[in-house]
Amino acid sequence: MSLPEVLAAIRQAEAASGREPGSARLVAVTKGQDFLSIERSVLKYGAFPLGEGRAQELRDKAAARPDLEWHFLGPLQRNKVKYLRPVTLVHSLEEIWQAEAIAQAAQSWGRAPDVLIQVHNGEVQKHGVDPEKLPGFYSSVRETGLTVRGLMVMAPEADEAQVRRVFEDTARRAHDLGLSELSMGMSGDYPLAVQAGSTLVRVGRSLFT
Ligand SMILES: *Cc1c(COP(=O)(O)O)cnc(C)c1O
């Protein structure tokens, strides 16, 4: 697919669920892609936020293109927090120490990235905060001074009905916490995610093949 085709599919899913056109934004996941492909497959269509999943790769790419908007969406280790300086949004916050370390580093950066809390999906992956613990985790993150904008979830490897349920549960949890951003949906499942209310769709492979 190409980026315009992905955008069209997003618009179609918005329309199918009675949502405003443009209420789901595309985050182009560029991990593993060089600037030639990023230029050809993403930037020639407009200024989309770029999502990176590895902290060192993010640091190097953002240093080369500080004019672009960078998001981080991978696992975050303590010694890599310093690489997040150019990032405007972290999608994958899952430990309180991460929030504390980002908030502390941000004092010397002069600004802090906003964050999304990654929610555990009960299945395929070990990452994310247990849904039961979300309200407590959310207030602890807020105490660090960071701005929490929403929740992120990765779909389990499961049938469509179960993926839909994970997206809908996450949307309900965000709503219950009064959070407006929902980072849900990847190449394999983003139309479903948009129908469930996703506001930030993280698509990689589909843009580059
Ligand atoms: C790689 C990645 C994506 C993009 O996945 P695709 O299947 O390439 O669309 C989205 N979110 C996260 C957290 C990722 O690591």
Side-chain angles (χ1 to χ4, degrees):
M1 287 179 97
S2 66
L3 187 144
E5 290 173 305
V6 169
L7 274 189
I10 292 173
R11 296 294 164 265
Q12 199 176 356
E14 285 170 341
S17 44
R19 297 183 52 184
E20 287 283 304
S23 54
R25 282 171 80 205
L26 173 65
V27 177
V29 178
T30 47
K31 62 176 189 247
Q33 303 290 341
D34 60 26
F35 277 110
L36 193 62
S37 340
I38 296 174
E39 196 64 54
R40 214 168 26 210
S41 301
V42 179
L43 299 176
K44 82 164 178 207
Y45 300 111
F48 294 88
L50 307 182
E52 289 287 333
R54 302 178 200 111
Q56 264 135 323
E57 186 180 347
L58 162 82
R59 173 198 58 187
D60 295 343
K61 285 165 142 173
R65 291 298 302 269
D67 56 310
L68 302 174
E69 182 183 351
W70 296 96
H71 290 188
F72 185 72
L73 36 80
L76 180 61
Q77 294 156 311
R78 194 178 286 278
N79 59 344
K80 307 280 169 58
V81 168
K82 55 181 182 282
Y83 300 155
L84 298 187
R85 182 176 187 146
V87 167
T88 57
L89 186 66
V90 175
H91 291 235
S92 44
L93 193 82
E94 57 177 339
E95 304 276 358
I96 285 300
W97 67 257
Q98 294 171 331
E100 288 164 350
I102 294 170
Q104 182 172 13
Q107 289 181 0
S108 64
W109 299 340
R111 49 164 287 280
D114 291 342
V115 297
L116 307 177
I117 297 169
Q118 182 170 354
V119 184
H120 190 258
N121 65 17
E123 267 200 327
V124 283
Q125 36 100 23
K126 56 188 185 303
H127 289 289
V129 176
D130 184 337
E132 317 283 86
K133 303 199 173 120
L134 261 184
F137 187 85
Y138 172 49
S139 32
S140 303
V141 175
R142 293 218 297 182
E143 279 168 26
T144 69
L146 294 183
T147 301
V148 181
R149 305 206 73 91
L151 302 181
M152 183 274 242
V153 76
M154 290 176 73
E157 278 177 46
D159 61 24
E160 190 175 309
Q162 199 170 338
V163 168
R164 189 188 295 276
R165 193 158 54 76
V166 167
F167 288 155
E168 288 175 352
D169 285 350
T170 307
R172 189 169 36 73
R173 294 192 169 103
H175 180 266
D176 290 349
L177 294 170
L179 294 168
S180 59
E181 296 284 359
L182 272 173
S183 172
M184 309 195 298
M186 304 175 25
S187 292
D189 52 31
Y190 65 92
L192 214 55
V194 171
Q195 286 178 27
S198 176
T199 61
L200 291 164
V201 178
R202 311 178 309 271
V203 177
R205 281 170 303 147
S206 284
L207 304 175
F208 295 99
T209 48

